[in-house]
Amino acid sequence: MAKKSMIARDAKRAKAVAKFASKRAELKAIIASPSSSEEQVWEAQIKLQKMPRDASATRIQRRCRITGRPHAVYRKFGLCRNKLREAAMRGDVPGLVKASW
């Protein structure tokens, strides 16, 4: 089980990402555009750097929906390996079979 503070911190980051998403997209479009002048690109880069770090989507940690564990989380199921195995053993995940070789 992850600490509540870490889960809350990730939730706060997700809010920041949602809040600044459009602004970041605009600035990145200006930077990537070949038609924008060098001064416009420079200003956009400075504005992007001054935005909060946690406003970047790459800062969000993918966590297990049940325990909040940050590592070994399967994107398809949203569960960590431990809880996915438990769910598979209960038969909650259709089509998933425990490997035996």
Side-chain angles (χ1 to χ4, degrees):
M1 195 72 185
K3 293 192 321 187
K4 299 286 184 190
S5 61
M6 300 304 282
I7 294 170
R9 192 182 299 172
D10 265 346
K12 187 177 174 184
R13 282 187 184 128
K15 281 169 117 177
V17 168
K19 180 179 177 183
F20 291 103
S22 61
K23 178 99 170 154
R24 285 182 66 88
E26 289 173 13
L27 292 172
K28 287 192 172 208
I30 292 170
I31 293 168
S33 174
S35 63
S36 56
S37 69
E38 192 173 321
E39 291 81 26
Q40 289 175 326
V41 171
W42 183 255
E43 287 178 28
Q45 284 178 339
I46 296 298
K47 285 181 183 176
L48 191 64
Q49 288 171 5
K50 290 196 179 202
M51 292 179 84
R53 283 186 182 174
D54 285 344
S56 174
T58 58
R59 306 268 300 185
I60 298 175
Q61 181 76 44
R62 191 173 52 255
R63 292 185 174 270
C64 175
R65 291 184 195 155
I66 299 171
T67 61
R69 186 177 201 269
H71 297 290
V73 178
Y74 288 81
R75 290 172 193 250
K76 185 174 182 179
F77 304 106
L79 299 174
C80 63
R81 60 183 177 84
N82 305 329
K83 294 300 171 182
L84 179 62
R85 187 171 191 275
E86 288 175 11
M89 293 310 228
R90 285 193 309 266
D92 292 344
V93 185
L96 189 68
V97 182
K98 182 183 167 199
S100 60
W101 20 309

